[in-house]
Amino acid sequence: MNRKLKDEDMDILFHGILGLQSVEECYDFFEDLCTIAELRAMVQRFQVARMLDEGRIYSDIVQETGASTATISRVNKCLVYGSDGYRKLLDRLKEQENG
């Protein structure tokens, strides 16, 4: 975790997010919190993470998602050297699919 990000206000936001109880509540909250462009960018980065996790190559990811190679490279760097945030979510989604 990036210690420069951690503060009481961030904790409150994240605790609030953890309290959301449905996908519909997430839609409502994030639509209020973020612009459409910000939401689309987050969705694109997570789509890139899923595709990299599946072993897909950059050119396929660019073609399918429209993400730049810089975005793909940054997401890949996070998957390899990051705080394991993507990894935790990817693994939990796989568990839900298989469970």
Side-chain angles (χ1 to χ4, degrees), residues 1 11 23-24 50-51 60-62 67 73-74 86 88:
M1 169 189 18
D11 286 352
V23 171
E24 191 61 38
R50 287 185 1 248
M51 294 174 78
D60 289 345
I61 297 170
V62 168
S73 180
R74 183 182 187 289
Y86 282 123
K88 288 172 189 157

Side-chain angles (χ1 to χ4, degrees), residues 37-52 65 67 71-72 74-75 79 86:
E38 290 167 335
L39 283 169
R40 294 272 179 225
M42 287 189 282
V43 168
Q44 182 186 65
R45 287 192 294 268
F46 192 65
Q47 184 181 17
V48 166
R50 287 185 1 248
M51 294 174 78
L52 287 168
T65 67
T71 295
I72 298 167
R74 183 182 187 289
V75 170
L79 282 169
Y86 282 123

Side-chain angles (χ1 to χ4, degrees), residues 53-93:
D53 189 52
E54 293 168 358
R56 305 279 295 276
I57 59 174
Y58 276 39
S59 59
D60 289 345
I61 297 170
V62 168
Q63 185 176 1
E64 194 168 324
T65 67
S68 69
T69 55
T71 295
I72 298 167
S73 180
R74 183 182 187 289
V75 170
N76 191 55
K77 182 179 175 185
C78 289
L79 282 169
V80 175
Y81 302 108
S83 301
D84 287 333
Y86 282 123
R87 173 63 37 223
K88 288 172 189 157
L89 190 52
L90 289 166
D91 289 349
R92 287 180 186 154
L93 287 172

